[in-house]
């Protein structure tokens, strides 16, 4: 197995990241196993990966790995899904007010 090491996977790729992505395509085409290992925590990693040819199983973020959260699936979360751990709470709709500010 081949491992590529990097700090993170930014949306704007550096030359090193472009080279890693090209090597990943090449290794994938020839059936060679590889992993890209990222050492910095990145809350947008999986979102940034969508713009690449990488799959979740080909990337290991050290923070995700040690939390056993390497597979991330898209899900929609609404306000009603939030639980702040406080009993007897409920959501109240705010009244929208229009405020017009002007000077004379």
């Amino acid at each position: 197995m081949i491992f590529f090491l990097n700090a993170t996977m930014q949306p704007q790729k550096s030359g090193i990241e472009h080279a890693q992505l090209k090597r990943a395509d090449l290794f994938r085409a020839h059936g060679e196993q590889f992993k890209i290992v990222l050492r910095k925590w990145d809350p947008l990693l999986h979102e940034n990966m969508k713009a690449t040819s990488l799959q979740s199983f080909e990337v290991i973020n050290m923070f995700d790995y040690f939390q056993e959260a390497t597979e991330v699936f898209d899900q929609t979360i609404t306000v009603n899904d939030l639980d702040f751990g406080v009993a007897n709470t409920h959501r109240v709709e705010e009244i929208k007010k229009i405020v017009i500010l002007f000077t004379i």
Side-chain angles (χ1 to χ4, degrees):
M1 168 130 359
I2 307 289
F3 293 93
F4 308 133
L5 303 176
N6 203 346
T8 188
M9 182 71 59
Q10 296 294 326
Q12 294 82 24
K13 310 288 183 266
S14 69
I16 292 171
E17 291 160 341
H18 281 292
Q20 286 178 333
L21 292 172
K22 288 182 180 184
R23 275 187 243 129
D25 292 338
L26 182 66
F27 285 132
R28 196 181 301 110
H30 290 281
E32 186 68 38
Q33 293 183 353
F34 69 92
K35 295 275 187 197
I36 294 180
V37 180
L38 304 173
R39 62 181 173 80
K40 287 188 177 179
W41 180 71
D42 183 359
L44 300 176
L45 170 63
H46 297 277
E47 192 65 31
N48 294 339
M49 282 176 39
K50 290 179 183 179
T52 70
S53 61
L54 295 173
Q55 302 294 317
S56 288
F57 65 88
E58 297 172 328
V59 177
I60 300 174
N61 179 278
M62 292 175 64
F63 286 85
D64 292 347
Y65 178 79
F66 288 114
Q67 293 181 47
E68 298 179 1
T70 54
E71 291 289 324
V72 176
F73 303 100
D74 289 338
Q75 65 185 66
T76 302
I77 298 174
T78 66
V79 173
N80 293 328
D81 298 324
L82 299 177
D83 178 10
F84 295 105
V86 180
N88 300 320
T89 59
H90 59 280
R91 183 172 61 96
V92 176
E93 284 291 327
E94 292 184 16
I95 300 172
K96 295 182 180 182
K97 296 180 181 178
I98 300 175
V99 179
I100 301 173
L101 300 176
F102 61 92
T103 60
I104 300 177

